[in-house]
Amino acid sequence: MKKWLTLFAALALVSSACTPDKSSTSGPLVYSADIVVYGGTSAAVTAAVQAKKMGKTVIIVSPDIHLGGLSSGGLGFTDTGRKEVIGGLSREFYHRLYQHYQKPDSWKWQQQSEYGNKGQGTPAIDGNSRTMWIFEPHAAENVFEGFVTENEIEIYRVEWLDREGGLVKENGRIVSFKTLSGKTFTGKMFIDATYEGDLMASAGVSYHVGREANSVYGEEWNGVQAGVFHHGHYFKENIDPYVVPGDPASGLLPYISSDKPGPNGSGDHKIQAYCFRMCLSNHPDNRVPFAKPEGYDPSKYELLARVYAAGWGETFQKFDPIPNRKTDTNNHGPFSTDFIGMNYDYPEASYARRREIIAEHEKYQKGLMYYLANDPNVPEEVRTEMSQWGLAKDEFTDNGNWPHQIYVREARRMIGDHVMTEHDVLNHNVVPKPVGMGSYTLDAHNSQRYVTTDGFVQNEGDIGVHAPQPYSISYGSIVPKASECENLLVPVCVSSTHIAFGSIRMEPVFMILGQSAATAAVQAIADNVPVQGVDYEKLKAQLIKDTQKLTMEDI
């Protein structure tokens, strides 16, 4: 905990590359704009850029010092789905990355010709539309900083919402909110673009955490899904869960829950696992060897040793290549970088508790990397290969080369005007008032690890259901109910069920919805109406003008 408190204090003193940036200036403690965006994610940036382009004043209030969230935090092997549904500023982001990688000096550790063109189900480099979908973290962050600088967006960094009475609301509208530093931000419209939805929650907007029962919205793939294995992230062999094999009295191995899953299709408060999307390098001059973390205990990884002993051999299948001999390293297999079951309280936890959870995830994942590279219970060929890898020396240089953003795959989800369900994502319904599109598989990671009735360890919650074609996302899913708040839009913690969010939760979609939210906010100000009263036809016309894709007719 002391380490994290020290880190956060240090971050507050770091000067920013963005102009203007008021994070460390003195002066009045009340700041006003037409639109106030809370968050530092990719959606926050596109929202602010759109508001400024449409002639409104805008402020970004970011808890983070680095802009871009996961898009600049290690998730460089983009989950695009159908690329043609990605328009507007979201596509502009990927176009700027294409421009970056056309420069010879962007290829320091690898020849461009050596990289190839492997993407996430699509080419990494799309020459037809001049986009680059696979990229290094620092390259993405530079694009976001460029957006902010070019548009002269006022930004305040390391500013955390005061969640204990810091928000003022009158007559169903947010008037202002205060941050822990004592600053107050007032505006006509507010956008919560965080992964956690803290501003939304503080405003008294309804939300859900966890998995709804299938019965709530008549779904099939929500709720508990024990025995359903759509990916390879389960135990394919019978693995004993006990410290002394065959002896329940010896207790369970670490990271196995003694709780039993509920009936299939039932709801719970469990959420899909988090991890860090590490950027690794195998270039000898750009590799930081995996160090033994403080408090390292190899017995914590005994379950993985048993997986190896059973013949598992897929360690490196999600070392996804990004430029310059680096990776976006994702979870793969039954015991990997996902810290299953260790994040349940994160969505609503205090800042202090969230820092603890983040630190626990970091310790687990760093310990796992050290274990893979050094422990004799790991097959020799795996240890040999792991010795060629390390953290990328030129990434996350102010954080020990470790990603600055944990992968919050899911936290709060608003219950708004329209709740997106699997019926919408699977094209069973006509979605009302579309403001963007998604296309990725309904993808949920495991939520729990437990002991089966047969006495073996198993994971539960890893679901992947293919969306047959791109689908529309409703305007009603980014606005609260009118009775709860009239001047707030929520483009990240959207109104969606757990399983529908499994598809919506992709970074290109967040950027799309951030732009759409800002467009609606500008029009609500212009017409002096609540966000629920925005003229949809006028909104649609502006989105189309700005090259957003709303329905299949647009692609």
Side-chain angles (χ1 to χ4, degrees):
M1 170 66 77
K2 183 177 180 180
K3 169 191 169 186
W4 280 94
L5 291 174
T6 302
L7 174 61
F8 273 68
L11 288 177
L13 299 176
V14 178
S15 61
S16 167
C18 172
T19 304
D21 184 340
K22 307 289 185 63
S23 60
S24 59
T25 60
S26 59
L29 295 180
V30 179
Y31 307 88
S32 298
D34 293 322
I35 299 171
V36 179
V37 180
Y38 183 60
T41 63
S42 59
V45 176
T46 57
V49 170
Q50 181 68 8
K52 196 69 180 290
K53 284 180 176 294
M54 294 185 71
K56 296 301 180 184
T57 58
V58 62
I59 292 172
I60 294 178
V61 183
S62 174
D64 314 301
I65 194 163
H66 296 280
L67 295 179
L70 258 297
S71 284
S72 61
L75 205 167
F77 199 71
T78 307
D79 301 321
T80 57
R82 292 271 296 274
K83 295 183 299 186
E84 57 265 40
V85 309
I86 301 169
L89 291 170
S90 185
R91 181 165 284 270
E92 173 67 15
F93 169 76
Y94 298 104
H95 171 62
R96 292 189 179 205
L97 286 165
Y98 171 87
Q99 293 177 312
H100 169 77
Y101 285 109
Q102 296 309 299
K103 301 173 184 176
D105 60 0
S106 297
W107 297 89
K108 181 177 181 180
W109 307 108
Q110 180 181 39
Q111 293 295 317
Q112 184 175 6
S113 59
E114 294 175 1
Y115 175 69
N117 202 21
K118 180 183 178 184
Q120 175 77 285
T122 61
I125 303 170
D126 184 354
N128 294 325
S129 61
R130 297 183 179 272
T131 48
M132 179 69 168
W133 305 97
I134 314 299
F135 48 84
E136 298 159 280
H138 77 270
E141 186 171 357
N142 287 341
V143 172
F144 288 120
E145 292 289 355
F147 275 139
V148 168
T149 300
E150 292 166 22
N151 291 281
E152 299 183 327
I153 292 171
E154 191 173 349
I155 180 168
Y156 298 79
R157 306 184 197 230
V158 197
E159 292 290 346
W160 298 78
L161 171 67
D162 180 354
R163 294 159 62 190
E164 302 296 328
L167 185 140
V168 177
K169 185 178 174 186
E170 295 177 359
N171 301 318
R173 300 175 69 90
I174 300 171
V175 176
S176 66
F177 67 82
K178 184 178 292 186
T179 58
L180 295 180
S181 71
K183 296 181 178 68
T184 296
F185 297 91
T186 69
K188 299 172 183 176
M189 291 286 156
F190 293 81
I191 297 174
D192 185 339
T194 63
Y195 291 121
E196 296 84 5
D198 286 340
L199 184 64
M200 170 190 74
S202 295
V205 172
S206 299
Y207 61 86
H208 188 85
V209 175
R211 302 183 287 188
E212 299 92 345
N214 277 333
S215 59
V216 177
Y217 296 101
E219 296 176 298
E220 180 180 0
W221 300 111
N222 209 334
V224 176
Q225 299 284 336
V228 179
F229 307 121
H230 286 172
H231 297 113
H233 312 314
Y234 66 98
F235 294 87
K236 298 178 182 179
E237 306 295 334
N238 290 334
I239 305 295
D240 193 291
Y242 301 110
V243 174
V244 177
D247 181 10
S250 66
L252 292 169
L253 289 174
Y255 314 131
I256 301 175
S257 174
S258 59
D259 295 336
K260 300 295 183 184
N264 272 21
S266 63
D268 58 25
H269 291 290
K270 298 178 172 68
I271 57 176
Q272 55 182 313
Y274 297 170
C275 69
F276 286 93
R277 297 288 284 256
M278 298 176 297
C279 185
L280 306 183
S281 172
N282 66 355
H283 194 291
D285 297 329
N286 195 38
R287 181 181 68 224
V288 179
F290 299 117
K292 181 189 291 187
E294 183 179 351
Y296 171 73
D297 179 0
S299 70
K300 298 287 188 181
Y301 307 98
E302 170 61 22
L303 185 56
L304 179 57
R306 295 183 188 183
V307 171
Y308 278 125
W312 186 72
E314 303 174 11
T315 304
F316 301 100
Q317 286 199 10
K318 286 302 290 179
F319 278 43
D320 291 318
I322 62 175
N324 283 306
R325 289 178 61 173
K326 300 176 188 177
T327 70
D328 168 355
T329 306
N330 198 6
N331 178 81
H332 182 75
F335 190 105
S336 185
T337 56
D338 277 2
F339 202 15
I340 299 172
M342 304 299 167
N343 60 342
Y344 296 157
D345 57 334
Y346 180 91
E348 299 186 280
S350 67
Y351 293 138
R353 175 58 186 145
R354 285 182 186 164
R355 288 193 291 270
E356 290 177 350
I357 294 169
I358 292 168
E360 290 160 4
H361 278 68
E362 180 178 343
K363 180 178 178 181
Y364 163 78
Q365 206 161 324
K366 285 183 172 179
L368 175 62
M369 293 299 103
Y370 184 81
Y371 181 86
L372 290 171
N374 294 279
D375 197 276
N377 287 313
V378 175
E380 182 177 0
E381 63 271 20
V382 175
R383 283 182 279 134
T384 299
E385 176 68 15
M386 282 298 294
S387 70
Q388 304 302 309
W389 291 96
L391 298 176
K393 187 182 296 185
D394 61 350
E395 298 289 351
F396 313 121
T397 55
D398 64 346
N399 198 39
N401 310 112
W402 193 255
H404 45 70
Q405 174 67 59
I406 193 170
Y407 195 171
V408 180
R409 288 190 171 94
E410 183 176 12
R412 299 181 178 99
R413 300 186 312 280
M414 180 170 65
I415 303 174
D417 254 8
H418 178 88
V419 179
M420 293 287 294
T421 72
E422 69 178 44
H423 304 297
D424 296 319
V425 175
L426 297 177
N427 286 280
H428 298 160
N429 294 335
V430 176
V431 174
K433 298 181 178 180
V435 291
M437 298 187 76
S439 63
Y440 201 74
T441 297
L442 290 85
D443 181 23
H445 282 231
N446 282 304
S447 294
Q448 58 188 322
R449 179 176 290 141
Y450 68 103
V451 180
T452 68
T453 55
D454 295 332
F456 301 107
V457 63
Q458 193 51 268
N459 296 333
E460 183 275 320
D462 189 61
I463 300 299
V465 178
H466 177 67
Q469 66 180 29
Y471 58 90
S472 298
I473 301 171
S474 175
Y475 178 61
S477 71
I478 66 171
V479 297
K481 297 173 183 177
S483 60
E484 294 182 344
C485 193
E486 295 184 350
N487 65 337
L488 173 68
L489 297 108
V490 184
V492 177
C493 294
V494 300
S495 179
S496 165
T497 66
H498 158 74
I499 194 59
F501 193 73
S503 175
I504 296 169
R505 65 180 180 85
M506 304 304 158
E507 288 290 303
V509 177
F510 288 155
M511 285 187 263
I512 290 167
L513 296 180
Q515 181 177 1
S516 295
T519 305
V522 170
Q523 293 188 351
I525 293 171
D527 294 342
N528 194 27
V529 296
V531 293
Q532 297 83 4
V534 167
D535 183 332
Y536 175 71
E537 291 304 318
K538 185 192 297 187
L539 175 61
K540 175 182 176 181
Q542 184 66 49
L543 296 178
I544 295 297
K545 179 182 177 182
D546 291 330
T547 71
Q548 293 267 49
K549 310 300 181 183
L550 308 184
T551 69
M552 289 295 291
E553 295 178 356
D554 300 324
I555 65 176

